[in-house]
Amino acid sequence: MGRYLNPGCRKFQRAMQSEIYVDKTELISYTNSVFDTEKQYLCVSRPRRFGKSMAANMLSAYYDRTVDAATLFRGLKIANDKNFHIYRNRYDVIAVNMQEFLSRSHDTEAMLKDINSKIVGELRREYPAYLKEGESDLVLAMSDVFMSTTRPFVVIIDEWDCVFRERTADAAKTRKYLDFLRYWLKDQDFLGLVYMTGILPIKKYGTHSALNMFREFSMTNAGPLAPFFGFTEEEVYVLCARYKMDFEECRTWYDGYLMEEKTSIYSPQSVVESMEFRKFGTYWNQTETFEALKVYIDLDYDGLREAIISLMAKEPKQIDIGSFTNDMTTFRSMDDVLTLLIHLGYLAYDVSNSNVCIPNQEVMMEYVNAVKGGGWSEVTDALRQSQRLLEATYSHDEETVSTILEAVHLETSHLQYNDENALSYTVSLAYYYARRHYVIFRELPTGKGFADMVFLPRHSHSSLPALIIELKWDKNVNAAIRQIKDRQYVKSLEGYVGKVLLVGINYSRDSRKHECRIEEWNIGD
């Protein structure tokens, strides 16, 4: 067993021995299906703390010829796969965490020399008879070993993109890093599988990539690997039952990453921490400060500010991800910035309609923290008024509700404000505080139309009332209340028992004023 050549299974064993371990071994079924084929190059990009390193360690333990995977994987899902024994522990694995090499190197060239010398050194110690005298080139050394053993190598590279995330100033040297990877990995007979993980997809130069042999699985194109990074809804449901935690609240806090085939992915770090601490809160973003997000949302691109405010108001936005160059410094438009935020985990992407949204409550709190700094006073003022707005609604204080909505409208006046949809932006942002206590539905089907906004208390034992909000544009606020009653929107609150506040809101273009009407309804047992 070496440090980089056949590193054994200790890292994967630690994951399995943790209090919470979720079985993702079926990923091995996919890697086996592409082993030693033209599709053997895989690059998986996910945000930090989404299980990338655990999966890399798992694959290393499975293929490493010095490990007994039959024992290690006993009882796990992959052990029942028909090809489990065909590929297990038959290969030399080279496993490299690029962050380790980057951290101890003063520049990129020194880092590449270190990688080359360390791996060649371990190959020489393992196979002294197979390497030519004085051989110091990594590619030639691996080729010499392969010609003697006829065993293809498995190369696993974790944090492959750290160079582009941490050493952005020197484009020439980062290009050398890509050239090194291409020389090492592309079209080499001695490789059976190459598996890379990172936060960013593979860096583009011009119209092509230096590593165009890789098949990429990212936050915008997860493909069949979607269930293996992050927790699925079924997995989270089981954990909530085991730890007696509220599943619906867990969904609100950590769900929201919608992958292909409607696979819903939860932030795994946050789910694990919330289960073990028996408390929902912010865990994923504790590994990085909100300043990281603020750097990007403060960039000066037309439409970016408006987009962020709309997203905070829970309005999805359609974007074009095609021009993103897969680095953290090259931006040509607002869409490029928003695409980066997808890969960093600050936005979720719906491939079916190219929409982005803020995925969950935990990430939303990161945006709230980020806008508290300079330059976002219009948003922070609206958020500051939010609790007062909710309390005014409870107390039927129609004048205060109208006044606060008026202030929020003026503070966000750079948004297009010309229809009911735009009015909903203002109302949604103004009622931000309500998200702590309510599940909020937009355009909830009622059987006789769609209620504009419905707020249902998160807990069945809550003393808070439900809210049904109907919006009107240049009409009459009484018509909004009448519509709620005539179309029997209250009946859409299936299973709810208790007080319901009917809230009608109208905006008049002539007076530029908001009106509010609040009535109370009770749903009995």
Side-chain angles (χ1 to χ4, degrees):
M1 187 175 81
R3 186 169 183 176
Y4 308 108
L5 175 64
N6 298 328
C9 60
R10 181 164 171 74
K11 291 180 180 178
F12 181 53
Q13 281 179 316
R14 282 204 298 261
M16 294 174 63
Q17 292 165 5
S18 299
E19 180 179 338
I20 294 177
Y21 167 71
V22 175
D23 187 348
K24 297 291 184 178
T25 56
E26 288 176 313
L27 170 63
I28 296 170
S29 178
Y30 183 83
T31 58
N32 284 344
S33 73
V34 299
F35 196 97
D36 213 13
T37 72
E38 292 183 349
K39 296 180 180 179
Q40 68 184 17
Y41 294 93
L42 309 177
C43 182
V44 175
S45 56
R46 290 291 187 278
R48 55 195 164 81
R49 311 300 290 178
F50 260 66
K52 301 184 299 296
S53 295
M54 189 280 290
N57 295 333
M58 176 186 72
L59 293 174
S60 179
Y62 173 75
Y63 290 110
D64 185 336
R65 67 182 182 84
T66 68
V67 174
D68 178 12
T71 300
L72 182 65
F73 286 80
R74 184 177 295 138
L76 299 180
K77 293 176 182 178
I78 190 60
N80 298 318
D81 188 272
K82 63 180 181 179
N83 293 325
F84 174 65
H85 294 290
I86 295 176
Y87 295 92
R88 70 168 180 84
N89 309 133
R90 294 179 181 270
Y91 307 99
D92 283 316
V93 172
I94 294 177
V96 175
N97 186 318
M98 288 297 183
Q99 184 68 61
E100 173 193 339
F101 285 95
L102 183 67
S103 298
R104 67 179 184 225
S105 302
H106 63 275
D107 64 20
T108 305
E109 289 187 26
M111 169 187 161
L112 301 182
K113 289 179 181 178
D114 193 22
I115 294 169
N116 188 94
S117 65
K118 291 292 193 300
I119 299 175
V120 170
E122 291 198 9
L123 286 170
R124 187 174 302 283
R125 286 191 292 273
E126 182 69 19
Y127 297 110
Y130 297 159
L131 296 189
K132 296 174 183 177
E133 185 70 26
E135 183 61 77
S136 61
D137 183 276
L138 175 58
V139 170
L140 296 179
M142 291 176 68
S143 182
D144 288 344
V145 171
F146 172 65
M147 284 191 292
S148 298
T149 65
T150 68
R151 282 194 303 265
F153 284 87
V154 172
V155 173
I156 297 174
I157 302 175
D158 199 9
E159 300 279 5
W160 88 271
D161 61 332
C162 62
V163 172
F164 300 103
R165 292 187 276 115
E166 297 187 22
R167 294 192 177 164
T168 58
D170 195 334
K173 288 186 178 179
T174 53
R175 180 65 183 267
K176 283 185 178 181
Y177 172 62
L178 279 182
D179 290 340
F180 168 81
L181 292 178
R182 178 173 55 184
Y183 171 64
W184 179 18
L185 304 174
K186 189 169 185 177
D187 299 328
Q188 301 292 3
D189 289 340
F190 53 74
L191 296 173
L193 179 72
V194 181
Y195 181 89
M196 297 201 311
T197 75
I199 293 176
L200 297 174
I202 291 173
K203 168 71 178 170
K204 299 175 183 177
Y205 278 104
T207 59
H208 67 282
S209 168
L211 301 176
N212 57 10
M213 68 282 198
F214 276 89
R215 195 176 188 190
E216 295 199 67
F217 303 89
S218 69
M219 293 297 283
T220 59
N221 182 28
L225 303 193
F228 305 126
F229 300 90
F231 291 166
T232 65
E233 191 161 275
E234 294 77 10
E235 291 164 344
V236 173
Y237 187 85
V238 169
L239 288 173
C240 286
R242 184 200 304 175
Y243 286 87
K244 296 180 173 54
M245 297 287 283
D246 187 289
F247 172 69
E248 289 301 327
E249 189 163 359
C250 188
R251 172 188 281 170
T252 300
W253 273 95
Y254 309 124
D255 187 17
Y257 297 99
L258 186 64
M259 304 295 186
E260 276 83 348
E261 299 178 357
K262 302 302 179 183
T263 301
S264 189
I265 295 298
Y266 290 62
S267 171
Q269 165 78 4
S270 303
V271 172
V272 167
E273 296 290 328
S274 66
M275 296 297 121
E276 293 184 354
F277 285 104
R278 275 37 174 213
K279 180 182 178 181
F280 296 115
T282 57
Y283 299 103
W284 173 74
N285 53 11
Q286 287 180 2
T287 62
E288 189 172 70
T289 70
F290 65 84
E291 295 293 340
L293 172 62
K294 185 171 176 57
V295 165
Y296 299 109
I297 65 175
D298 280 349
L299 290 174
D300 185 19
Y301 286 96
D302 286 344
L304 179 59
R305 191 180 197 80
E306 178 178 341
I308 296 301
I309 295 174
S310 298
L311 289 166
M312 292 184 70
K314 301 207 78 173
E315 295 293 330
K317 180 171 182 59
Q318 191 171 68
I319 68 168
D320 178 8
I321 64 173
S323 63
F324 183 56
T325 57
N326 300 347
D327 66 27
M328 302 178 78
T329 57
T330 308
F331 304 112
R332 301 184 181 92
S333 66
M334 171 194 70
D335 285 356
D336 287 347
V337 178
L338 297 180
T339 303
L340 174 62
L341 295 182
I342 296 170
H343 294 293
L344 296 178
Y346 291 114
L347 290 176
Y349 181 71
D350 188 342
V351 69
S352 66
N353 53 26
S354 303
N355 279 346
V356 293
C357 65
I358 297 174
N360 52 49
Q361 177 66 12
E362 183 180 39
V363 179
M364 179 66 79
M365 290 180 71
E366 194 77 348
Y367 280 86
V368 172
N369 289 332
V371 302
K372 284 179 180 177
W376 291 87
S377 59
E378 72 272 30
V379 180
T380 54
D381 289 346
L383 298 178
R384 194 178 299 115
Q385 293 271 32
S386 185
Q387 184 173 0
R388 182 167 166 249
L389 173 65
L390 192 59
E391 291 169 352
T393 306
Y394 292 156
S395 61
H396 296 218
D397 186 347
E398 298 166 344
E399 183 177 349
T400 297
V401 170
S402 300
T403 300
I404 293 175
L405 290 177
E406 188 72 27
V408 174
H409 169 210
L410 293 174
E411 287 158 358
T412 58
S413 59
H414 61 284
L415 292 173
Q416 277 196 327
Y417 207 68
N418 51 18
D419 57 20
E420 275 184 30
N421 196 42
L423 175 60
S424 73
Y425 293 179
T426 294
V427 173
S428 182
L429 188 63
Y431 276 99
Y432 168 79
Y433 184 80
R435 300 175 199 178
R436 300 185 182 189
H437 308 291
Y438 290 91
V439 178
I440 301 176
F441 301 91
R442 298 289 305 276
E443 306 226 332
L444 183 70
T446 66
K448 292 187 177 182
F450 295 85
D452 286 333
M453 302 179 78
V454 174
F455 293 41
L456 280 179
R458 292 193 183 282
H459 303 290
S460 57
H461 58 273
S462 173
S463 61
L464 297 175
L467 309 178
I468 298 178
I469 300 177
E470 184 64 27
L471 306 175
K472 291 298 178 184
W473 184 266
D474 228 14
K475 293 181 182 176
N476 185 288
V477 71
N478 293 317
I481 297 292
R482 188 164 56 249
Q483 181 172 319
I484 295 174
K485 294 177 178 178
D486 291 348
R487 297 188 182 181
Q488 301 178 343
Y489 287 171
V490 172
K491 289 187 176 181
S492 67
L493 309 185
E494 186 176 348
Y496 175 78
V497 175
K499 184 163 65 175
V500 183
L501 297 183
L502 315 183
V503 182
I505 295 171
N506 179 66
Y507 175 75
S508 169
R509 283 185 297 179
D510 291 339
S511 66
R512 299 178 65 82
K513 296 291 184 182
H514 295 76
E515 277 185 288
C516 175
R517 190 77 70 244
I518 302 172
E519 293 189 12
E520 189 172 310
W521 196 282
N522 280 283
I523 302 178
D525 293 317

